[in-house]
Amino acid sequence: MRNVFAAVPCALLLALFELPASALTTTVDREIGDAHLWAEQHLQTPKEPLFHFDYDHEDSAAFLSRCRAEASSRALDADRTEHTLVWTDGVSGLVTRCVGIEYTNFPAMEWTLWFKNTGKADTAILSDVQPVDHIVGGQTDKGPFRLLHARGSHEEARDFTPEETTLDKTVSFAPDGGRSSDGVLPFFNLSRPNRDGVILGIGWTGQWAASFEPVPEGMRIRGGMEQTHLRLHPGEEIRTPAILLLFWRGNDSLRGNNLLRALLLKHYTPRPGGKTVEPPIAASPHGVIPFEGSTEANMIEGIRNIAAHKFPVDTWWIDAGWNGTQDMWARAVGTWTANPTRYPNGLKPVGDAAHANGLRFLVWFEPERVMPDTWLYNNHPEWLLRPANTPKPWRYQENDKFHMLNLGNPEALAWVKAEYSRIIGEAGIDIYRQDANLSPLWYWRNGEAEDRQGMNEIRHVMGLYDFYDTLMRDHPNLLIDNCASGGRRIDFEIMRRALTLFRSDHCWDSVADQGMNHALSLWMPYVGVGAVIPDAYALRSGMGPHISLPFAYYAESDMWQKGAALIEQVKSVRHLFTAYYYPLTPYSLDKDRWIAWQYHDETRNEGLLLAYRREDCAEDHLRVAPRGLNPHKTYSLTDWDNSPPRAIAGKALTAGLDIPLATKPAAAVLHYKAN
């Protein structure tokens, strides 16, 4: 076996996995070794495919056994090796290609399955395509497997609620309506009954499906698109959802979640300009100005007020309502020119004002939804999809109300790439915010031919990725914000292209904000929302590495001083929100409870303790047991509301710390750093 640590400094490994040197050979190398052996067996040899499909009613194992097989590998960089397996059917011309990425500094790998018709006639039917169909072994006599997973975003206070399922029977998951995290998050932490586990991620910004089935050998995992039954025309090539597996050892499943956070931070986070992303601390005018009330004049006024007060934000955020001529923002979706009355010179003067005053410029768009009597609706109806047979919750989108720009249509895709790239460049947009307020599944499936089921979805999702990739190529410093009625499009494929700055349309609710931070931090490194008022409890409930602040920027008040002080506190610790995460209390939305959690950075010997006493909570203190601390170090502990700092031994901190809050509701933030 090759040395998987060759390109990884030992200090980095120790920091990454939060382990003392003595544990290196018992955990870190075993985890990476597990992943490497698995990659050798399944990504480097065509003998043990880890996927399944049916071709012309024949199982893929039998079909591929008759194909010509090739295998190759190449180093992409010091951290990644690409493995490619190719099967070519000499009869039909169908080429099946599995492209895998193995990480040398994480116990993880991903792969994507591709199909191409190189023949001169249509292929036979390709169906039941499951890019992962694999049995994870385990000692089932020691008990059932356990699955940790989460709700998705659904505009509810309980969005991203952590859930646990004992797998004593088959359990299946799929999102609602075609957006990848609508109702369920596409990440799963599977614990073996004999300890250890594996995290599954599905990278597909569409209608995926996954199932976990107990079998005598262990747990069978299947995942892919929910529906595929199609033939390929000559020259056509399609891809499947990408699959991510991450291996972890021990009896604490939280280790797997923290490895996932670190992996996503390192390899699945945008790097505008090739640099570490700087998520925005954004000022939004829409706390006092309605969407349809924004103008060139009042946007520039707000920017100048921020500059005059030296208010410590870095981004000016214009949301919906700047475009079209309709009297309601949602009716203008489909016209992407600025409102001629309110923005007579377009967006550029606002972008110029933002840049002149040291701010980035964030602007909202929604290219996929098209409403009646807009430019796209009137000029290119042939590019639009319409829904049919929608379930009751989505029926309001029918009857010529909502249309969807078909990103699978080559002409429509070419137009949207060129037009949006032009707008971004001319207006000087630094952060492009894309919304998607429709459920695409019922558009994709409307009128699909029997032998092309799934093709609309595949083409649209591939087009979406192409669109994002084009914008980033045309504007290398551009940051993309992934919004879809809040966070209904979170998956690892979209995460490598965009941040999610607004995880739920249920917002500005302190208890819900706390719950989402507590829950979503299990799965993602970038989690935050901000607050609508400059109040310590509200802002601390929604704080994270990125925040949105729709404050009153048009009047003289104590907001400027109070808000600035609160923001400076957040900025001083924002580097810690992406560190290892430890919940210190159970998740809860009950108003008579405390909730608390911790972010800990082993490399800096630094972290945060956050505790919230809610409005109906009778207990005036909470005792927590921080994790990850070095018992042999002394830490300087600073309470944001009480000074001066105090020194406390790591051993004493780990044994337990009392956090008092005399009032309610209230939030305590304690910063610690080793001396």
PDB file of all heavy atoms in Angstrom, residues 20-53:
ATOM      1  N   PRO A  20      -4.238  13.511  20.013  1.00  0.00           N
ATOM      2  CA  PRO A  20      -2.853  13.553  20.454  1.00  0.00           C
ATOM      3  C   PRO A  20      -1.996  12.648  19.579  1.00  0.00           C
ATOM      4  O   PRO A  20      -2.495  11.743  18.915  1.00  0.00           O
ATOM      5  CB  PRO A  20      -2.935  13.023  21.896  1.00  0.00           C
ATOM      6  CG  PRO A  20      -4.156  12.172  21.913  1.00  0.00           C
ATOM      7  CD  PRO A  20      -5.118  12.832  20.961  1.00  0.00           C
ATOM      8  N   ALA A  21      -0.671  12.891  19.585  1.00  0.00           N
ATOM      9  CA  ALA A  21       0.224  12.114  18.727  1.00  0.00           C
ATOM     10  C   ALA A  21       0.126  10.628  19.002  1.00  0.00           C
ATOM     11  O   ALA A  21       0.229   9.799  18.101  1.00  0.00           O
ATOM     12  CB  ALA A  21       1.658  12.601  18.915  1.00  0.00           C
ATOM     13  N   SER A  22      -0.111  10.235  20.250  1.00  0.00           N
ATOM     14  CA  SER A  22      -0.174   8.818  20.597  1.00  0.00           C
ATOM     15  C   SER A  22      -1.333   8.103  19.935  1.00  0.00           C
ATOM     16  O   SER A  22      -1.330   6.880  19.795  1.00  0.00           O
ATOM     17  CB  SER A  22      -0.288   8.659  22.117  1.00  0.00           C
ATOM     18  OG  SER A  22      -1.469   9.298  22.579  1.00  0.00           O
ATOM     19  N   ALA A  23      -2.358   8.859  19.525  1.00  0.00           N
ATOM     20  CA  ALA A  23      -3.542   8.231  18.926  1.00  0.00           C
ATOM     21  C   ALA A  23      -3.450   8.151  17.414  1.00  0.00           C
ATOM     22  O   ALA A  23      -4.329   7.599  16.767  1.00  0.00           O
ATOM     23  CB  ALA A  23      -4.792   9.017  19.318  1.00  0.00           C
ATOM     24  N   LEU A  24      -2.367   8.705  16.831  1.00  0.00           N
ATOM     25  CA  LEU A  24      -2.285   8.795  15.382  1.00  0.00           C
ATOM     26  C   LEU A  24      -2.430   7.446  14.720  1.00  0.00           C
ATOM     27  O   LEU A  24      -3.185   7.282  13.773  1.00  0.00           O
ATOM     28  CB  LEU A  24      -0.958   9.446  14.979  1.00  0.00           C
ATOM     29  CG  LEU A  24      -0.742   9.674  13.480  1.00  0.00           C
ATOM     30  CD1 LEU A  24      -1.800  10.607  12.933  1.00  0.00           C
ATOM     31  CD2 LEU A  24       0.649  10.223  13.223  1.00  0.00           C
ATOM     32  N   THR A  25      -1.704   6.447  15.209  1.00  0.00           N
ATOM     33  CA  THR A  25      -1.730   5.137  14.548  1.00  0.00           C
ATOM     34  C   THR A  25      -2.970   4.344  14.889  1.00  0.00           C
ATOM     35  O   THR A  25      -3.209   3.301  14.291  1.00  0.00           O
ATOM     36  CB  THR A  25      -0.484   4.324  14.935  1.00  0.00           C
ATOM     37  OG1 THR A  25      -0.458   4.164  16.354  1.00  0.00           O
ATOM     38  CG2 THR A  25       0.778   5.029  14.478  1.00  0.00           C
ATOM     39  N   THR A  26      -3.764   4.801  15.861  1.00  0.00           N
ATOM     40  CA  THR A  26      -4.947   4.033  16.243  1.00  0.00           C
ATOM     41  C   THR A  26      -6.239   4.582  15.665  1.00  0.00           C
ATOM     42  O   THR A  26      -7.245   3.901  15.693  1.00  0.00           O
ATOM     43  CB  THR A  26      -5.080   3.982  17.778  1.00  0.00           C
ATOM     44  OG1 THR A  26      -5.210   5.311  18.268  1.00  0.00           O
ATOM     45  CG2 THR A  26      -3.871   3.311  18.400  1.00  0.00           C
ATOM     46  N   THR A  27      -6.232   5.808  15.151  1.00  0.00           N
ATOM     47  CA  THR A  27      -7.468   6.365  14.610  1.00  0.00           C
ATOM     48  C   THR A  27      -7.274   6.993  13.235  1.00  0.00           C
ATOM     49  O   THR A  27      -7.881   6.567  12.262  1.00  0.00           O
ATOM     50  CB  THR A  27      -8.058   7.421  15.576  1.00  0.00           C
ATOM     51  OG1 THR A  27      -8.252   6.826  16.853  1.00  0.00           O
ATOM     52  CG2 THR A  27      -9.399   7.913  15.057  1.00  0.00           C
ATOM     53  N   VAL A  28      -6.400   7.991  13.135  1.00  0.00           N
ATOM     54  CA  VAL A  28      -6.287   8.730  11.888  1.00  0.00           C
ATOM     55  C   VAL A  28      -5.866   7.835  10.741  1.00  0.00           C
ATOM     56  O   VAL A  28      -6.509   7.791   9.690  1.00  0.00           O
ATOM     57  CB  VAL A  28      -5.295   9.902  12.036  1.00  0.00           C
ATOM     58  CG1 VAL A  28      -5.111  10.599  10.697  1.00  0.00           C
ATOM     59  CG2 VAL A  28      -5.787  10.880  13.080  1.00  0.00           C
ATOM     60  N   ASP A  29      -4.774   7.076  10.932  1.00  0.00           N
ATOM     61  CA  ASP A  29      -4.309   6.262   9.815  1.00  0.00           C
ATOM     62  C   ASP A  29      -5.267   5.125   9.531  1.00  0.00           C
ATOM     63  O   ASP A  29      -5.392   4.668   8.388  1.00  0.00           O
ATOM     64  CB  ASP A  29      -2.890   5.760  10.051  1.00  0.00           C
ATOM     65  CG  ASP A  29      -2.755   4.860  11.265  1.00  0.00           C
ATOM     66  OD1 ASP A  29      -3.688   4.849  12.095  1.00  0.00           O
ATOM     67  OD2 ASP A  29      -1.721   4.181  11.379  1.00  0.00           O
ATOM     68  N   ARG A  30      -5.981   4.646  10.554  1.00  0.00           N
ATOM     69  CA  ARG A  30      -6.972   3.594  10.309  1.00  0.00           C
ATOM     70  C   ARG A  30      -8.134   4.122   9.484  1.00  0.00           C
ATOM     71  O   ARG A  30      -8.631   3.443   8.583  1.00  0.00           O
ATOM     72  CB  ARG A  30      -7.479   3.031  11.639  1.00  0.00           C
ATOM     73  CG  ARG A  30      -6.449   2.175  12.366  1.00  0.00           C
ATOM     74  CD  ARG A  30      -7.040   1.586  13.625  1.00  0.00           C
ATOM     75  NE  ARG A  30      -6.054   0.766  14.328  1.00  0.00           N
ATOM     76  CZ  ARG A  30      -6.305   0.144  15.475  1.00  0.00           C
ATOM     77  NH1 ARG A  30      -7.497   0.272  16.042  1.00  0.00           N
ATOM     78  NH2 ARG A  30      -5.368  -0.578  16.055  1.00  0.00           N
ATOM     79  N   GLU A  31      -8.584   5.329   9.796  1.00  0.00           N
ATOM     80  CA  GLU A  31      -9.688   5.905   9.030  1.00  0.00           C
ATOM     81  C   GLU A  31      -9.287   6.133   7.578  1.00  0.00           C
ATOM     82  O   GLU A  31     -10.001   5.745   6.643  1.00  0.00           O
ATOM     83  CB  GLU A  31     -10.139   7.220   9.675  1.00  0.00           C
ATOM     84  CG  GLU A  31     -10.903   7.021  10.967  1.00  0.00           C
ATOM     85  CD  GLU A  31     -11.149   8.313  11.713  1.00  0.00           C
ATOM     86  OE1 GLU A  31     -10.329   9.249  11.590  1.00  0.00           O
ATOM     87  OE2 GLU A  31     -12.172   8.394  12.416  1.00  0.00           O
ATOM     88  N   ILE A  32      -8.132   6.758   7.377  1.00  0.00           N
ATOM     89  CA  ILE A  32      -7.677   6.986   6.008  1.00  0.00           C
ATOM     90  C   ILE A  32      -7.351   5.663   5.341  1.00  0.00           C
ATOM     91  O   ILE A  32      -7.611   5.470   4.150  1.00  0.00           O
ATOM     92  CB  ILE A  32      -6.479   7.952   5.987  1.00  0.00           C
ATOM     93  CG1 ILE A  32      -6.917   9.330   6.493  1.00  0.00           C
ATOM     94  CG2 ILE A  32      -5.898   8.069   4.574  1.00  0.00           C
ATOM     95  CD1 ILE A  32      -5.832  10.391   6.481  1.00  0.00           C
ATOM     96  N   GLY A  33      -6.809   4.728   6.107  1.00  0.00           N
ATOM     97  CA  GLY A  33      -6.551   3.403   5.560  1.00  0.00           C
ATOM     98  C   GLY A  33      -7.823   2.689   5.144  1.00  0.00           C
ATOM     99  O   GLY A  33      -7.874   2.036   4.098  1.00  0.00           O
ATOM    100  N   ASP A  34      -8.878   2.811   5.961  1.00  0.00           N
ATOM    101  CA  ASP A  34     -10.179   2.234   5.591  1.00  0.00           C
ATOM    102  C   ASP A  34     -10.637   2.778   4.246  1.00  0.00           C
ATOM    103  O   ASP A  34     -11.067   2.035   3.360  1.00  0.00           O
ATOM    104  CB  ASP A  34     -11.239   2.578   6.648  1.00  0.00           C
ATOM    105  CG  ASP A  34     -11.026   1.854   7.964  1.00  0.00           C
ATOM    106  OD1 ASP A  34     -10.278   0.856   7.991  1.00  0.00           O
ATOM    107  OD2 ASP A  34     -11.612   2.300   8.965  1.00  0.00           O
ATOM    108  N   ALA A  35     -10.558   4.102   4.114  1.00  0.00           N
ATOM    109  CA  ALA A  35     -11.015   4.736   2.885  1.00  0.00           C
ATOM    110  C   ALA A  35     -10.151   4.318   1.698  1.00  0.00           C
ATOM    111  O   ALA A  35     -10.659   4.066   0.593  1.00  0.00           O
ATOM    112  CB  ALA A  35     -10.992   6.259   3.051  1.00  0.00           C
ATOM    113  N   HIS A  36      -8.830   4.223   1.913  1.00  0.00           N
ATOM    114  CA  HIS A  36      -7.930   3.857   0.828  1.00  0.00           C
ATOM    115  C   HIS A  36      -8.191   2.424   0.354  1.00  0.00           C
ATOM    116  O   HIS A  36      -8.234   2.153  -0.852  1.00  0.00           O
ATOM    117  CB  HIS A  36      -6.478   4.007   1.275  1.00  0.00           C
ATOM    118  CG  HIS A  36      -5.490   3.611   0.228  1.00  0.00           C
ATOM    119  ND1 HIS A  36      -5.381   4.270  -0.975  1.00  0.00           N
ATOM    120  CD2 HIS A  36      -4.580   2.602   0.192  1.00  0.00           C
ATOM    121  CE1 HIS A  36      -4.446   3.694  -1.702  1.00  0.00           C
ATOM    122  NE2 HIS A  36      -3.946   2.678  -1.019  1.00  0.00           N
ATOM    123  N   LEU A  37      -8.368   1.510   1.294  1.00  0.00           N
ATOM    124  CA  LEU A  37      -8.663   0.129   0.907  1.00  0.00           C
ATOM    125  C   LEU A  37      -9.985   0.051   0.150  1.00  0.00           C
ATOM    126  O   LEU A  37     -10.112  -0.689  -0.839  1.00  0.00           O
ATOM    127  CB  LEU A  37      -8.705  -0.761   2.148  1.00  0.00           C
ATOM    128  CG  LEU A  37      -7.355  -1.107   2.773  1.00  0.00           C
ATOM    129  CD1 LEU A  37      -7.561  -1.840   4.093  1.00  0.00           C
ATOM    130  CD2 LEU A  37      -6.513  -1.947   1.818  1.00  0.00           C
ATOM    131  N   TRP A  38     -10.961   0.806   0.602  1.00  0.00           N
ATOM    132  CA  TRP A  38     -12.261   0.802  -0.060  1.00  0.00           C
ATOM    133  C   TRP A  38     -12.127   1.335  -1.480  1.00  0.00           C
ATOM    134  O   TRP A  38     -12.693   0.788  -2.422  1.00  0.00           O
ATOM    135  CB  TRP A  38     -13.232   1.658   0.751  1.00  0.00           C
ATOM    136  CG  TRP A  38     -14.665   1.448   0.391  1.00  0.00           C
ATOM    137  CD1 TRP A  38     -15.546   0.594   0.972  1.00  0.00           C
ATOM    138  CD2 TRP A  38     -15.380   2.120  -0.647  1.00  0.00           C
ATOM    139  NE1 TRP A  38     -16.768   0.695   0.373  1.00  0.00           N
ATOM    140  CE2 TRP A  38     -16.703   1.623  -0.627  1.00  0.00           C
ATOM    141  CE3 TRP A  38     -15.048   3.094  -1.579  1.00  0.00           C
ATOM    142  CZ2 TRP A  38     -17.677   2.067  -1.508  1.00  0.00           C
ATOM    143  CZ3 TRP A  38     -16.017   3.533  -2.461  1.00  0.00           C
ATOM    144  CH2 TRP A  38     -17.312   3.021  -2.423  1.00  0.00           C
ATOM    145  N   ALA A  39     -11.319   2.405  -1.646  1.00  0.00           N
ATOM    146  CA  ALA A  39     -11.099   2.962  -2.982  1.00  0.00           C
ATOM    147  C   ALA A  39     -10.377   1.959  -3.876  1.00  0.00           C
ATOM    148  O   ALA A  39     -10.685   1.824  -5.066  1.00  0.00           O
ATOM    149  CB  ALA A  39     -10.302   4.257  -2.890  1.00  0.00           C
ATOM    150  N   GLU A  40      -9.392   1.241  -3.317  1.00  0.00           N
ATOM    151  CA  GLU A  40      -8.686   0.226  -4.101  1.00  0.00           C
ATOM    152  C   GLU A  40      -9.649  -0.847  -4.616  1.00  0.00           C
ATOM    153  O   GLU A  40      -9.554  -1.315  -5.749  1.00  0.00           O
ATOM    154  CB  GLU A  40      -7.599  -0.437  -3.259  1.00  0.00           C
ATOM    155  CG  GLU A  40      -6.324   0.380  -3.111  1.00  0.00           C
ATOM    156  CD  GLU A  40      -5.239  -0.414  -2.411  1.00  0.00           C
ATOM    157  OE1 GLU A  40      -5.563  -1.360  -1.656  1.00  0.00           O
ATOM    158  OE2 GLU A  40      -4.050  -0.102  -2.628  1.00  0.00           O
ATOM    159  N   GLN A  41     -10.593  -1.230  -3.771  1.00  0.00           N
ATOM    160  CA  GLN A  41     -11.519  -2.313  -4.124  1.00  0.00           C
ATOM    161  C   GLN A  41     -12.595  -1.866  -5.103  1.00  0.00           C
ATOM    162  O   GLN A  41     -13.043  -2.659  -5.936  1.00  0.00           O
ATOM    163  CB  GLN A  41     -12.174  -2.866  -2.851  1.00  0.00           C
ATOM    164  CG  GLN A  41     -11.212  -3.562  -1.920  1.00  0.00           C
ATOM    165  CD  GLN A  41     -11.853  -3.880  -0.579  1.00  0.00           C
ATOM    166  OE1 GLN A  41     -12.971  -3.446  -0.297  1.00  0.00           O
ATOM    167  NE2 GLN A  41     -11.152  -4.621   0.267  1.00  0.00           N
ATOM    168  N   HIS A  42     -13.008  -0.598  -5.009  1.00  0.00           N
ATOM    169  CA  HIS A  42     -14.214  -0.203  -5.738  1.00  0.00           C
ATOM    170  C   HIS A  42     -14.023   0.928  -6.746  1.00  0.00           C
ATOM    171  O   HIS A  42     -14.842   1.059  -7.668  1.00  0.00           O
ATOM    172  CB  HIS A  42     -15.298   0.199  -4.747  1.00  0.00           C
ATOM    173  CG  HIS A  42     -15.653  -0.883  -3.782  1.00  0.00           C
ATOM    174  ND1 HIS A  42     -16.296  -2.039  -4.156  1.00  0.00           N
ATOM    175  CD2 HIS A  42     -15.426  -0.986  -2.444  1.00  0.00           C
ATOM    176  CE1 HIS A  42     -16.470  -2.804  -3.099  1.00  0.00           C
ATOM    177  NE2 HIS A  42     -15.948  -2.199  -2.051  1.00  0.00           N
ATOM    178  N   LEU A  43     -12.999   1.750  -6.600  1.00  0.00           N
ATOM    179  CA  LEU A  43     -12.786   2.846  -7.537  1.00  0.00           C
ATOM    180  C   LEU A  43     -11.613   2.600  -8.477  1.00  0.00           C
ATOM    181  O   LEU A  43     -11.471   3.308  -9.475  1.00  0.00           O
ATOM    182  CB  LEU A  43     -12.547   4.165  -6.783  1.00  0.00           C
ATOM    183  CG  LEU A  43     -13.735   4.745  -6.010  1.00  0.00           C
ATOM    184  CD1 LEU A  43     -13.351   6.059  -5.355  1.00  0.00           C
ATOM    185  CD2 LEU A  43     -14.944   4.942  -6.913  1.00  0.00           C
ATOM    186  N   GLN A  44     -10.768   1.617  -8.155  1.00  0.00           N
ATOM    187  CA  GLN A  44      -9.586   1.382  -8.972  1.00  0.00           C
ATOM    188  C   GLN A  44      -9.642   0.090  -9.771  1.00  0.00           C
ATOM    189  O   GLN A  44      -8.746  -0.182 -10.563  1.00  0.00           O
ATOM    190  CB  GLN A  44      -8.336   1.377  -8.087  1.00  0.00           C
ATOM    191  CG  GLN A  44      -8.100   2.693  -7.370  1.00  0.00           C
ATOM    192  CD  GLN A  44      -6.871   2.659  -6.483  1.00  0.00           C
ATOM    193  OE1 GLN A  44      -5.833   2.136  -6.861  1.00  0.00           O
ATOM    194  NE2 GLN A  44      -6.986   3.222  -5.294  1.00  0.00           N
ATOM    195  N   THR A  45     -10.666  -0.709  -9.560  1.00  0.00           N
ATOM    196  CA  THR A  45     -10.792  -1.954 -10.311  1.00  0.00           C
ATOM    197  C   THR A  45     -12.213  -2.095 -10.827  1.00  0.00           C
ATOM    198  O   THR A  45     -13.170  -1.791 -10.099  1.00  0.00           O
ATOM    199  CB  THR A  45     -10.429  -3.174  -9.450  1.00  0.00           C
ATOM    200  OG1 THR A  45     -10.723  -4.373 -10.185  1.00  0.00           O
ATOM    201  CG2 THR A  45     -11.213  -3.186  -8.149  1.00  0.00           C
ATOM    202  N   PRO A  46     -12.378  -2.552 -12.062  1.00  0.00           N
ATOM    203  CA  PRO A  46     -13.738  -2.728 -12.598  1.00  0.00           C
ATOM    204  C   PRO A  46     -14.413  -4.005 -12.128  1.00  0.00           C
ATOM    205  O   PRO A  46     -15.533  -4.288 -12.526  1.00  0.00           O
ATOM    206  CB  PRO A  46     -13.490  -2.764 -14.115  1.00  0.00           C
ATOM    207  CG  PRO A  46     -12.107  -3.303 -14.259  1.00  0.00           C
ATOM    208  CD  PRO A  46     -11.334  -2.792 -13.082  1.00  0.00           C
ATOM    209  N   LYS A  47     -13.752  -4.754 -11.247  1.00  0.00           N
ATOM    210  CA  LYS A  47     -14.292  -6.057 -10.845  1.00  0.00           C
ATOM    211  C   LYS A  47     -15.410  -5.948  -9.822  1.00  0.00           C
ATOM    212  O   LYS A  47     -16.246  -6.837  -9.711  1.00  0.00           O
ATOM    213  CB  LYS A  47     -13.165  -6.939 -10.293  1.00  0.00           C
ATOM    214  CG  LYS A  47     -12.101  -7.293 -11.329  1.00  0.00           C
ATOM    215  CD  LYS A  47     -11.008  -8.159 -10.715  1.00  0.00           C
ATOM    216  CE  LYS A  47      -9.939  -8.505 -11.751  1.00  0.00           C
ATOM    217  NZ  LYS A  47      -8.849  -9.332 -11.171  1.00  0.00           N
ATOM    218  N   GLU A  48     -15.413  -4.879  -9.027  1.00  0.00           N
ATOM    219  CA  GLU A  48     -16.414  -4.744  -7.966  1.00  0.00           C
ATOM    220  C   GLU A  48     -17.120  -3.394  -8.071  1.00  0.00           C
ATOM    221  O   GLU A  48     -16.910  -2.516  -7.238  1.00  0.00           O
ATOM    222  CB  GLU A  48     -15.773  -4.892  -6.587  1.00  0.00           C
ATOM    223  CG  GLU A  48     -15.120  -6.235  -6.325  1.00  0.00           C
ATOM    224  CD  GLU A  48     -14.583  -6.340  -4.912  1.00  0.00           C
ATOM    225  OE1 GLU A  48     -15.357  -6.068  -3.969  1.00  0.00           O
ATOM    226  OE2 GLU A  48     -13.401  -6.681  -4.753  1.00  0.00           O
ATOM    227  N   PRO A  49     -17.932  -3.186  -9.100  1.00  0.00           N
ATOM    228  CA  PRO A  49     -18.647  -1.898  -9.211  1.00  0.00           C
ATOM    229  C   PRO A  49     -19.516  -1.640  -7.988  1.00  0.00           C
ATOM    230  O   PRO A  49     -20.112  -2.559  -7.414  1.00  0.00           O
ATOM    231  CB  PRO A  49     -19.500  -2.080 -10.467  1.00  0.00           C
ATOM    232  CG  PRO A  49     -18.844  -3.176 -11.233  1.00  0.00           C
ATOM    233  CD  PRO A  49     -18.251  -4.094 -10.199  1.00  0.00           C
ATOM    234  N   LEU A  50     -19.568  -0.379  -7.580  1.00  0.00           N
ATOM    235  CA  LEU A  50     -20.319  -0.022  -6.378  1.00  0.00           C
ATOM    236  C   LEU A  50     -21.662   0.583  -6.720  1.00  0.00           C
ATOM    237  O   LEU A  50     -22.343   1.122  -5.869  1.00  0.00           O
ATOM    238  CB  LEU A  50     -19.498   0.956  -5.530  1.00  0.00           C
ATOM    239  CG  LEU A  50     -18.762   2.073  -6.284  1.00  0.00           C
ATOM    240  CD1 LEU A  50     -19.680   3.193  -6.663  1.00  0.00           C
ATOM    241  CD2 LEU A  50     -17.591   2.545  -5.481  1.00  0.00           C
ATOM    242  N   PHE A  51     -22.059   0.490  -7.989  1.00  0.00           N
ATOM    243  CA  PHE A  51     -23.304   1.080  -8.449  1.00  0.00           C
ATOM    244  C   PHE A  51     -24.166   0.002  -9.096  1.00  0.00           C
ATOM    245  O   PHE A  51     -23.750  -1.152  -9.252  1.00  0.00           O
ATOM    246  CB  PHE A  51     -23.025   2.201  -9.448  1.00  0.00           C
ATOM    247  CG  PHE A  51     -22.110   1.793 -10.575  1.00  0.00           C
ATOM    248  CD1 PHE A  51     -22.590   1.111 -11.684  1.00  0.00           C
ATOM    249  CD2 PHE A  51     -20.755   2.091 -10.522  1.00  0.00           C
ATOM    250  CE1 PHE A  51     -21.755   0.725 -12.718  1.00  0.00           C
ATOM    251  CE2 PHE A  51     -19.901   1.710 -11.559  1.00  0.00           C
ATOM    252  CZ  PHE A  51     -20.401   1.019 -12.658  1.00  0.00           C
ATOM    253  N   HIS A  52     -25.358   0.390  -9.493  1.00  0.00           N
ATOM    254  CA  HIS A  52     -26.269  -0.548 -10.154  1.00  0.00           C
ATOM    255  C   HIS A  52     -27.125   0.208 -11.160  1.00  0.00           C
ATOM    256  O   HIS A  52     -27.492   1.364 -10.944  1.00  0.00           O
ATOM    257  CB  HIS A  52     -27.185  -1.233  -9.134  1.00  0.00           C
ATOM    258  CG  HIS A  52     -28.307  -2.003  -9.783  1.00  0.00           C
ATOM    259  ND1 HIS A  52     -29.522  -1.427 -10.103  1.00  0.00           N
ATOM    260  CD2 HIS A  52     -28.382  -3.290 -10.188  1.00  0.00           C
ATOM    261  CE1 HIS A  52     -30.298  -2.334 -10.682  1.00  0.00           C
ATOM    262  NE2 HIS A  52     -29.629  -3.466 -10.741  1.00  0.00           N
ATOM    263  N   PHE A  53     -27.427  -0.446 -12.268  1.00  0.00           N
ATOM    264  CA  PHE A  53     -28.443   0.027 -13.193  1.00  0.00           C
ATOM    265  C   PHE A  53     -28.938  -1.163 -13.997  1.00  0.00           C
ATOM    266  O   PHE A  53     -28.320  -2.246 -13.980  1.00  0.00           O
ATOM    267  CB  PHE A  53     -27.902   1.129 -14.117  1.00  0.00           C
ATOM    268  CG  PHE A  53     -26.736   0.720 -14.988  1.00  0.00           C
ATOM    269  CD1 PHE A  53     -26.936   0.133 -16.234  1.00  0.00           C
ATOM    270  CD2 PHE A  53     -25.436   0.937 -14.560  1.00  0.00           C
ATOM    271  CE1 PHE A  53     -25.864  -0.230 -17.039  1.00  0.00           C
ATOM    272  CE2 PHE A  53     -24.356   0.570 -15.364  1.00  0.00           C
ATOM    273  CZ  PHE A  53     -24.575  -0.014 -16.608  1.00  0.00           C
TER     274      PHE A  53
END
